[in-house]
Amino acid sequence: MKVAVVGATGLVGSKMLQVLAERNFPVTELIPVASEKSVGKEVMYKGKPYKVVTADTAIGMKPNVAIFSAGGSTSLEWAPKFAAAGITVIDNSSAWRMDPTKKLVVPEVNASALTPEDKIIANPNCSTIQMVLVLDPLHKKYGIQRVVVSTYQSVTGTGVKAVTQLMNERQGIEGEKAYAHQIDLNVIPQIDVFLDNGYTKEEMKMVKETVKIMGDERIKVTATTVRIPVMGGHSESVNIEFDKDFDLAEVRQILAATPGVIVVDDPANASYPMPKDAHDKDEVFVGRIRRDESQANTLNLWIVADNLRKGAATNAVQIAEYLQGKNWL
């Protein structure tokens, strides 16, 4: 199994390599791909060095699968070229997510939508992935009408530059900035650019992607996405209005039985999910499970996951594992 990782030198790309190794994906040859300035550099995989090549060179090496994490413009240019060469692309950027001809996949939720003909498969936004993993089993049981979500997102979601800005500010060092404002000891209620409707691009991603992944246009979503000075994972406060009433004990049972979800919900002992506890883990953690007493059939939850793992790298590798299990690679 020849595997290309496009964007191998970036924050998510290096996490892709780590996850491929940890999950023992059957890589016989790794092809790390990055921009021209990184060509010839080496990345380590399972203790062996591999030289970075260009996307053009990688296509000529005929990998079975190419996992992209190099930004939307790179994906728009190169994913079709890989696909045209018969290489299956799993793309972590926003480039193809809302393309009606492309599948947007969280394996636990909608892997069954995939076919051998899907040559470009989109990996959803990190904040959407962790939310739909929790929403899906509850939707199947109670029917979701509306979701109100506020996110508390790690600086790692922006990349190395943002992590550097946070650490520089913490140490009183002047340096390059990823954000328009100070992030240490602050909260920035903007992720990505603002759109004409007053929402940010990140907020509208959550709205549209949730509906596409869950395959139900009836679900209404409204989001506020916020950057906070933490590393380790994204947190979400989620309010869910159902078609019918629910039993809290049953909700906990449903979530505890959901693959990839761990319930951490013991308020009496101050036990609930936090980003530092989700760091470097593949599961999605859910707690603060309680009834919304302001209206009928409505539930409040707190959801936390490592945005670089299940929110990006792990989800992409799980898609590859599903395809490989079907002998489609």
Side-chain angles (χ1 to χ4, degrees), residues 134-135 138 142 146-148 237-242 246-248 251-252 255 286 288-293 295-302:
V134 172
L135 293 183
L138 299 178
Y142 308 113
R146 182 170 186 254
V147 177
V148 182
S237 169
V238 186
N239 178 270
I240 314 160
E241 184 182 351
F242 295 112
F246 54 86
D247 175 73
L248 277 176
V251 166
R252 288 189 180 90
L255 293 173
V286 60
R288 298 297 318 278
I289 301 167
R290 64 210 188 275
R291 189 176 288 276
D292 177 348
E293 296 182 345
Q295 68 171 8
N297 308 341
T298 305
L299 181 73
N300 281 309
L301 304 166
W302 177 252

Side-chain angles (χ1 to χ4, degrees), residues 60-329:
M61 294 169 78
K62 297 193 169 16
N64 301 78
V65 62
I67 304 177
F68 274 61
S69 193
S73 56
T74 301
S75 294
L76 285 170
E77 180 183 356
W78 286 101
K81 294 176 182 176
F82 276 76
I87 301 157
T88 300
V89 172
I90 301 167
D91 180 48
N92 193 51
S93 80
S94 60
W96 305 100
R97 289 176 188 157
M98 296 316 299
D99 184 324
T101 68
K102 306 291 184 287
K103 308 286 171 56
L104 183 65
V105 176
V106 176
E108 297 91 338
V109 177
N110 65 336
S112 59
L114 291 168
T115 70
E117 285 70 49
D118 291 311
K119 284 298 175 190
I120 299 176
I121 301 162
N123 211 35
N125 187 36
C126 46
S127 45
T128 307
I129 290 173
Q130 67 187 70
M131 185 171 75
V132 298
L133 205 57
V134 172
L135 293 183
D136 186 59
L138 299 178
H139 181 51
K140 288 189 170 98
K141 180 68 179 177
Y142 308 113
I144 293 174
Q145 290 186 11
R146 182 170 186 254
V147 177
V148 182
V149 54
S150 297
T151 72
Y152 306 73
Q153 294 181 221
S154 161
V155 293
T156 57
T158 309
V160 174
K161 194 170 157 186
V163 174
T164 303
Q165 178 180 340
L166 173 61
M167 300 320 288
N168 280 348
E169 289 171 353
R170 197 150 285 186
Q171 295 165 59
I173 299 168
E174 278 298 319
E176 196 182 13
K177 299 201 183 312
Y179 304 119
H181 304 282
Q182 175 183 319
I183 183 62
D184 190 32
L185 299 175
N186 195 25
V187 163
I188 303 173
Q190 176 188 356
I191 297 180
D192 214 323
V193 296
F194 282 100
L195 304 172
D196 290 343
N197 65 357
Y199 287 83
T200 66
K201 205 168 168 185
E202 180 87 355
E203 288 159 353
M204 294 313 297
K205 282 178 192 174
M206 292 193 76
V207 172
K208 293 172 180 173
E209 290 179 23
T210 299
V211 171
K212 182 171 178 178
I213 295 161
M214 295 180 67
D216 193 338
E217 296 277 343
R218 203 174 57 96
I219 300 171
K220 304 297 177 207
V221 182
T222 187
T224 303
T225 58
V226 180
R227 189 72 67 191
I228 63 171
V230 302
M231 291 187 281
H234 290 349
S235 306
E236 298 172 348
S237 169
V238 186
N239 178 270
I240 314 160
E241 184 182 351
F242 295 112
D243 291 332
K244 54 189 179 187
D245 200 10
F246 54 86
D247 175 73
L248 277 176
E250 186 180 48
V251 166
R252 288 189 180 90
Q253 284 170 358
I254 289 168
L255 293 173
T258 300
V261 173
I262 294 178
V263 175
V264 182
D265 191 36
D266 185 8
N269 291 300
S271 179
Y272 29 69
M274 293 182 288
K276 72 177 187 66
D277 300 322
H279 179 60
D280 231 15
K281 296 190 172 72
D282 285 329
E283 296 81 12
V284 171
F285 299 84
V286 60
R288 298 297 318 278
I289 301 167
R290 64 210 188 275
R291 189 176 288 276
D292 177 348
E293 296 182 345
S294 71
Q295 68 171 8
N297 308 341
T298 305
L299 181 73
N300 281 309
L301 304 166
W302 177 252
I303 303 169
V304 178
D306 185 322
N307 53 294
L308 296 182
R309 289 187 70 102
K310 183 55 181 170
T314 301
N315 198 76
V317 174
Q318 285 175 315
I319 293 170
E321 287 171 345
Y322 179 85
L323 299 172
Q324 191 238 342
K326 294 279 189 183
N327 293 316
W328 292 346
L329 293 180

